[in-house]
Amino acid sequence: MATQIKIFDTTLRDGEQSPGCSMNLQEKLEVAKQLERLRVDVIEAGFAIASPGDLAAVKAIAESVHDCVVASLARAIPKDIDHAWEGVKAAKSPRIHTFIATSDIHMQYKLRKSPEQVLEQAVAMVKYAKQYCSDIEFSAEDATRSNPEFLYRMFEAVINAGATVVNVPDTVGYSTPLEMFDLITGIRNHVPNIDKAEIAVHCHDDLGLAVANTLAALRAGATQLECTINGIGERAGNAALEELVMGLMTRKDYYNATSGVDTTQIYRTSKLVSSLTGSQVQPNKAVVGANAFAHESGIHQHGILANKNTYEIMTPASIGLAQNKMVLGKHSGRHAFEDRLISLGYSLTKEKLDEAFEQFKILTDKKKVVANGDIEALVQQKTADIPITYSLARYVINSGNAITATAAVSLISNEVSKEEVATGDGSIDAAFKAIDKLVGIDFELEDFALHSVTEGKDAQGEVMVKIAKDGQVYTGRGLSTDVIEASVKAYINAINKMIDELKLVKEVTSSGQ
Ligand code: KIV
Ligand code: ZN
C-alpha cells in the first residue's frame, strides 16, 4: 500500500521571509485559505516572535483555517515559544515548531555553545513547549552539516522530551540526494525511539537539489515534506511544493507514496503567491512555469496532436490548467498550424491553407510567438479573394523629424516592376503619393486606422484604409510587424479592390452595348 505523505507548507514563513516576498495580513490570510483548499497537511503561518504583525497574522490564520495543522516557528527559547503558542493556540490543530542549530559551525560561531549545552537547551525547550501543546516539531538546524552521531542523540532526547516530529533541515542546500538518503536511513537505524515521531525533511535549493534531496529523503523513510509554493524561500528558496507533489503523483510507481494535496489547485495557488509576492515564476519552471505545458517544435506538436502521452507526462488539467499551450512559432509545422485554424473555426481549401502557411512562416521569422489574433488576421486576408492587379515589390523610405519624408515604391503589375518616388507629410503620406503616381487613378483617401492585432513589442499592426471614387468606398487591409509596410499593403489592397470593381463595371457596360 502507498505511504501517506504529509505536506508541510512554509510559504508563509520561510517563503515570506525571503527578499521581496513579504505580504500583509490580508494577503497572508488569502494564501492560507488557498493552502487549505490545496489540502496541505500543515501550514507554517509565520514566526510569531518576529514582529507584532507576524504574530497577528499567525493568530488570524489559526482562527480561520480549520482543515490543516497551523504551526508557528520559535527558536528554542521561552519567549519565542510563548509567542508561538499565543499565535497558534486558537487553531483547531495547533503546532509549535521549535529549532536549534546542531552543526559544529553553527554551535561554535552562532550559538557559542557546546554540543552538550545545545542538547540540554533543546530538551528543556521541547518540554517547555509541550506544556502548551501536544504537537511539537523539533528542527535540528543545519542537520546535514551536523555530526550524525550527535544528531541521533539529539533526536532521541527530544523525542523522549515530547517531540512528535523531528525535522532534518538542509539549511544551506549543501546535501546531495545520496547523502540525504543515507542520513535518513542512519536516523531510522540509530535513533531507538524514532517510531514515536515522524521524520520530516526541509531542503533549501542553493545547489538546485532541494526537490531531489527531499524525494531521496522520502525514499529513505521521511514522511513529512517541507516546501513552499513556487519554491520561494531564503536565498535560492525551498523545495517547491508543486514539484514534490506532482513528482509523487506522476511517479507513484517509483515512490509508492501519495499526498492528500488536491493537485487541481496547484496552478491557482502558484498564481496567487506570485501575484501577491510579486515574485515571478520563471517560464521554464517545472509544473507551473508558463512553458511547462507549451509545445513549440513541429515534431513535438505533431506527437502531442497524435497522442498527448508522447510529450506530456502529466496533464495540464491535473494541476488545474484548462489545456496545454501549442506555441506557434518558427519551429511549428503544418499540422499544428492547421489544428489551430480548425480550433479558431476556419476550414480552408488546400491551396488557401498552403498560402496561409507560407505567410505564417514568413511571419514567424519576424515574430517569436504567433498569437491567435495574428492567425485570424492572416487568414482573413487570405479568404478575401480579389484579383491582384498591383503587388508590392519593395519600398524605401527616408524620413526624420528634420527632413521631408521621401518614399521610393516599386509595384509589380503584369509581371512588370515600376518604381516612383514622392515626398510627403510623413513616411506613410510619401509612400501613398508614390503609389498614386504608379497607379494613375484619381481617388480620395477617406479613412486610415491602425491597431495592434496582438500584444508586445513585436505585435503585428493591422492597418485599415478606405479610399473613395465616384461615391464608392473601397476598404483595404494590411498586416505586418512594420506599420509602414502594413499601411502600404492596405493601400494597395484597397486600390486592387477598386480596380476590380471598376473593371466589373466596364465589363457590364461593354456587354450591354
Ligand atoms: O532552513 C532551516 O533550517 C529552517 C529551520 C528553521 C527549519 O528554516
Ligand atoms: Zn528553511
Side-chain angles (χ1 to χ4, degrees):
M1 213 179 88
T3 312
Q4 189 67 34
I5 297 297
K6 291 200 176 124
I7 296 295
F8 175 112
D9 181 278
T10 182
T11 305
L12 293 168
R13 198 277 299 169
D14 215 325
E16 206 260 347
Q17 77 193 37
S18 63
C21 284
S22 51
M23 290 176 256
N24 65 29
L25 192 143
Q26 275 318 315
E27 292 168 338
K28 287 182 186 173
L29 253 181
E30 213 179 321
V31 171
K33 293 303 285 176
Q34 180 56 29
L35 289 172
E36 192 176 29
R37 279 192 282 275
L38 183 66
R39 295 211 217 111
V40 302
D41 298 280
V42 186
I43 296 175
E44 185 159 55
F47 191 12
I49 188 82
S51 72
D54 282 58
L55 175 60
V58 175
K59 268 187 174 174
I61 292 167
E63 280 159 16
S64 59
V65 165
H66 308 294
D67 299 335
C68 313
V69 171
V70 178
S72 176
L73 187 67
R75 283 167 299 181
I77 49 178
K79 69 172 181 189
D80 276 35
I81 293 170
D82 295 341
H83 274 77
W85 178 242
E86 184 58 26
V88 298
K89 69 180 179 200
K92 203 165 148 203
S93 311
R95 175 182 292 184
I96 295 173
H97 176 195
T98 189
F99 74 99
I100 195 162
T102 52
S103 64
D104 288 347
I105 186 159
H106 277 233
M107 290 191 290
Q108 188 180 343
Y109 293 101
K110 190 179 81 176
L111 301 175
R112 295 180 189 282
K113 289 195 165 140
S114 70
E116 292 315 309
Q117 286 172 312
V118 169
L119 193 137
E120 205 179 290
Q121 185 177 335
V123 168
M125 288 304 106
V126 169
K127 284 186 181 159
Y128 184 80
K130 196 76 181 178
Q131 52 158 353
Y132 287 132
C133 182
S134 61
D135 189 354
I136 306 294
E137 174 166 339
F138 172 79
S139 284
E141 191 189 10
D142 207 16
T144 53
R145 292 195 300 167
S146 304
N147 176 339
E149 301 300 327
F150 179 59
L151 200 60
Y152 304 153
R153 279 182 58 217
M154 175 64 95
F155 282 165
E156 182 181 358
V158 294
I159 293 170
N160 281 335
T164 41
V165 181
V166 285
N167 183 24
V168 183
D170 185 24
T171 303
V172 290
Y174 181 74
S175 196
T176 69
L178 289 182
E179 283 174 314
M180 194 51 116
F181 185 92
D182 290 346
L183 183 60
I184 303 298
T185 306
I187 291 167
R188 291 185 71 195
N189 292 336
H190 295 96
V191 178
N193 52 359
I194 196 68
D195 57 315
K196 303 213 165 49
E198 184 129 29
I199 303 177
V201 65
H202 173 115
C203 296
H204 279 269
D205 208 30
D206 299 67
L207 293 172
L209 290 172
V211 169
N213 286 338
T214 306
L215 292 172
L218 167 124
R219 283 284 289 188
T223 49
Q224 176 179 288
L225 311 184
E226 304 204 353
C227 45
T228 58
I229 302 296
N230 299 337
I232 62 169
E234 284 280 9
R235 306 178 310 282
N238 290 60
L241 178 146
E242 59 279 6
E243 295 178 26
L244 292 174
V245 167
M246 291 314 288
L248 291 190
M249 187 167 139
T250 309
R251 294 307 310 276
K252 193 159 178 236
D253 60 316
Y254 179 75
Y255 294 112
N256 193 24
T258 48
S259 78
V261 166
D262 175 359
T263 62
T264 63
Q265 293 290 329
I266 284 180
Y267 189 69
R268 213 178 138 194
T269 316
S270 162
K271 281 272 174 227
L272 179 71
V273 170
S274 74
S275 80
L276 292 182
T277 59
S279 168
Q280 298 276 326
V281 173
Q282 75 201 50
N284 61 329
K285 161 91 177 59
V287 183
V288 291
N291 294 347
F293 292 93
H295 309 278
E296 185 179 342
S297 92
I299 294 170
H300 286 212
Q301 290 182 342
H302 190 190
I304 282 281
L305 291 171
N307 182 332
K308 289 199 167 65
N309 289 331
T310 51
Y311 290 103
E312 268 175 13
I313 57 167
M314 48 194 156
T315 64
S318 65
I319 66 150
L321 245 183
Q323 58 185 31
N324 61 19
K325 191 162 96 186
M326 289 286 200
V327 176
L328 290 183
K330 68 174 179 184
H331 304 295
S332 303
R334 249 185 105 88
H335 268 100
F337 180 68
E338 192 177 354
D339 190 68
R340 182 68 61 89
L341 284 179
I342 292 167
S343 77
L344 290 172
Y346 293 100
S347 146
L348 302 191
T349 60
K350 189 180 165 312
E351 294 73 47
K352 289 246 166 65
L353 181 66
D354 287 346
E355 275 177 51
F357 185 61
E358 206 176 293
Q359 292 299 313
F360 161 75
K361 280 291 182 186
I362 294 169
L363 181 61
T364 58
D365 271 342
K366 300 180 188 165
K367 207 167 181 277
K368 271 195 192 143
V369 173
V370 179
N372 286 349
D374 292 318
I375 295 171
E376 279 174 335
L378 267 182
V379 173
Q380 276 159 16
Q381 283 207 326
K382 286 288 136 224
T383 44
D385 238 351
I386 50 143
I388 309 291
T389 308
Y390 289 102
S391 63
L392 177 66
R394 65 186 188 100
Y395 68 85
V396 178
I397 307 273
N398 187 19
S399 172
N401 64 348
I403 55 165
T404 305
T406 310
V409 181
S410 297
L411 296 185
I412 300 172
S413 184
N414 289 328
E415 294 176 6
V416 179
S417 170
K418 277 195 191 152
E419 182 170 288
E420 280 290 352
V421 178
T423 55
D425 187 9
S427 313
I428 294 172
D429 188 46
F432 284 7
K433 284 192 171 130
I435 296 171
D436 290 346
K437 282 192 190 177
L438 286 162
V439 172
I441 304 174
D442 269 351
F443 59 84
E444 298 295 318
L445 175 62
E446 286 254 308
D447 199 3
F448 175 94
L450 164 70
H451 82 276
S452 164
V453 175
T454 47
E455 288 163 12
K457 278 199 208 145
D458 62 355
Q460 289 203 98
E462 186 179 47
V463 171
M464 188 274 303
V465 159
K466 285 190 175 162
I467 58 173
K469 182 164 176 60
D470 305 333
Q472 237 347 76
V473 177
Y474 308 96
T475 305
R477 286 195 157 71
L479 191 67
S480 173
T481 48
D482 180 318
V483 291
I484 296 176
E485 189 178 2
S487 308
V488 168
K489 284 181 169 174
Y491 200 56
I492 298 170
N493 182 232
I495 290 170
N496 283 335
K497 281 189 183 169
M498 176 182 69
I499 291 174
D500 184 43
E501 295 253 334
L502 287 176
K503 271 190 203 146
L504 205 83
V505 171
K506 220 172 157 190
E507 273 166 25
V508 172
T509 321
S510 28
S511 63
Q513 277 178 341

